[in-house]
Amino acid sequence: MSHIRPRVAATSALVAAGVVSGALTGTPAHAVTGDRVPATAYAYTAQITVGDHDRGCSAVLVDAEWLMTAGSCFSDSGSAVPSGAPSTKTTAVVGPSELSSSHIPDTRRQVVELVPRTDRDVVLARLSRPVTKATPIALASTAPVAGEELRFAGYGRTAAEWSPLSLHTGVYTVNSANVTTAGVTGKAGASACAGDAGGPVVREAGGTATLVGLSSQSYQGGCFGADPAESRTDGVVARVDDLGTWVTSTVSAPRITDFNCDGTEDIAIADPKAAVGGVDGAGAVRVVYGGSKGTASIDQNLDWVPGDAEAGDWFGETLETTDHNQDGCTDLVIGTPSEDIGNKADAGVVDVVYGGPRGLGTNSVKNTRFEQNTGSGSLGASTPETGDRMGQALAAGATASGEPFLVIGAPGEAIGSVQKAGMVFYVRDSTSIGITTANVGIDQDSTGVPGSVEANDGFGGAVAADANRIAIGAPGEAIGDDANAGNVAVFSHKLTSEKRPTPLFGLDQDLDKVSGGSEAGDQFGKSLALVPYRPSGAAAATDSILAVGAPGEDLDIDGTNKTDAGNVITFRLPAAGGYSQLNVYSSGTASDDITGTSESGDRFGQTLTAVNTSPRTVGTAATMKLAVGAPGEAVGTAAKAGAITTFSLLGAPGSSDRWVEAGTSGIPGPAGSDQQLGASIHFTPSTLYVGMPYGPKAKGLLHVLPLSNVIAGGSNTAVTTHEPGQGGLPATGSRFGYAAR
């Protein structure tokens, strides 16, 4: 075959690779001298550019969100590659055989996280959003053997070009292999050159390629800029055929809240009634950085947060987290629905505070504020009004194609002359469909949305979303003559011709496929939780499970009516469309297999949180978790002491439930009146956050409970507690733990 001519990005630092005293240099090989390839071949290959063309490498797509490449691409002079965000902005272009092709914008991504191997020249690099126009390659299952021929590819230099624009390939013959590397020689003059480091080395059999290794080092014989006397094409390949388990565990790991990109979990804790600058009820969010990296406070008296700390703002009443700007650092979404805008009381605002390597609010762009009558789209066209309460409910994340979104509830919004009908603002970065940043308003008069605009519906009083779907609650919706019966509207992220999410269906308790019946005061949809679910036989988590709380539901318990006892109903939302009911959860009766007994005023389902601890794998009872707050639960003689019950989202409710109250699961007791345990709960993949803003401590506190403490059959382990005046947190507060993310 003809000579391979590698091509590399216009780079310098990682380009040179030569011979010292007749030995292979430790400098990475960076480009293939060989044949150009057809447009559709080797589309799993990527070009990496570090900095402003400081250096360039090749890489290979091993998952829709992850590349594998040479660790040396991110290291100067052989130093170890740190985990976390790259120290220098790094760009990847995945798939095109010609780098000048017009579809590059669709395949360009930022590298936002590095996970290195310590035993070989290999690193996994997470992309800012999934790649949809190239198929990842599978890892080989057997080692390279002497005499075997393997194909390699790269974007490095060629024999004639310093910075070519096309992908090239060549063939290696394997000389020998050890535990982590293989020695190879380029066949027919093919050589890996500067820019090819990290490029795929594949075994081709039966029309299928599998990944055996990555180009790592080379003599670079015949490469542009190399010593003309150097003719050797020998090199070293970093083996990856034995890294399948490592790759799977890395790419499948759930995301953590990591505001400073250091790989350790951080937490934001709201105290919306905190005094700021002597102003009571202005509100603040306290941040605790993992790894003993300190604390921070965010409030509206900071010069980079819009507005001012004012009495009754309750800054931080709602919180969410997401990587909204897709730089690899978690961003904090802060809702302040009681914020006054001009003379419009409780109009509400939402802030996105951006994370960065030094923490929240430390980058050049620190904050984006969303408020009505500001900016473009529906938000810009809307007018803030008294009682809109924009930001009372929040959801945030990314679609299945990786586009970041925000869902912002404004349940007090008047639609025309109809007061408190409610609206939701949907904000989405949709560059793939030609919209840079768009926001649209959704109400019950929008095309296809179930129900109709009526006073006091409170549409948007609760919202939930995952990569597949969006759920919006209207707990004040009248069903027939039953006021405050409540309903829920479900949408997909697919945009209609009006650039709104596509309405799918509505849910209420008068539907044949939904348990119970709509009754006045049920407040069906008062709380929502939505998580992705991968069913058996599916390739990904394309289904969802939705939990709907109805804390005002009256229940007949052993022949006695218990008002506002509350219940929760779960639904499976399959990728093919529609829904099916899964379970009905409540505290039940004294004789059933669910812990506890439903009583009047429990308000079981006032709060909900759910988690899929392993969203890449088939969902099981062990990975799909639901926690239900009942803040009105009486414990002994302590009224409204509150309780939490955890369940699996799969299987019968009583088969895996666990009751949590003060004095259990590592929460200190005894239970006290009006502590309302369960009013603030949030699952992470490894913990349950339990806020206690109403006591027993006057300033509030937050318990971080390991999953083992709150799941059926689990044993109690050490609990972390955050409270004002401890661990570097300010000693002031009033409702600390009101929300946490």
Side-chain angles (χ1 to χ4, degrees), residues 140-176:
S141 58
T142 57
V145 296
E148 181 179 13
E149 292 188 351
L150 302 172
R151 172 77 62 174
F152 68 109
Y155 286 99
R157 297 180 197 172
T158 66
E161 295 178 279
W162 177 281
S163 181
L165 294 174
S166 57
L167 180 67
H168 289 69
T169 73
V171 173
Y172 283 141
T173 299
V174 178
N175 302 322
S176 61

Side-chain angles (χ1 to χ4, degrees), residues 590-607:
S591 58
D592 64 17
D593 63 349
I594 298 175
T595 307
T597 303
S598 295
E599 298 288 350
S600 294
D602 283 350
R603 295 195 63 81
F604 179 96
Q606 177 79 16
T607 55

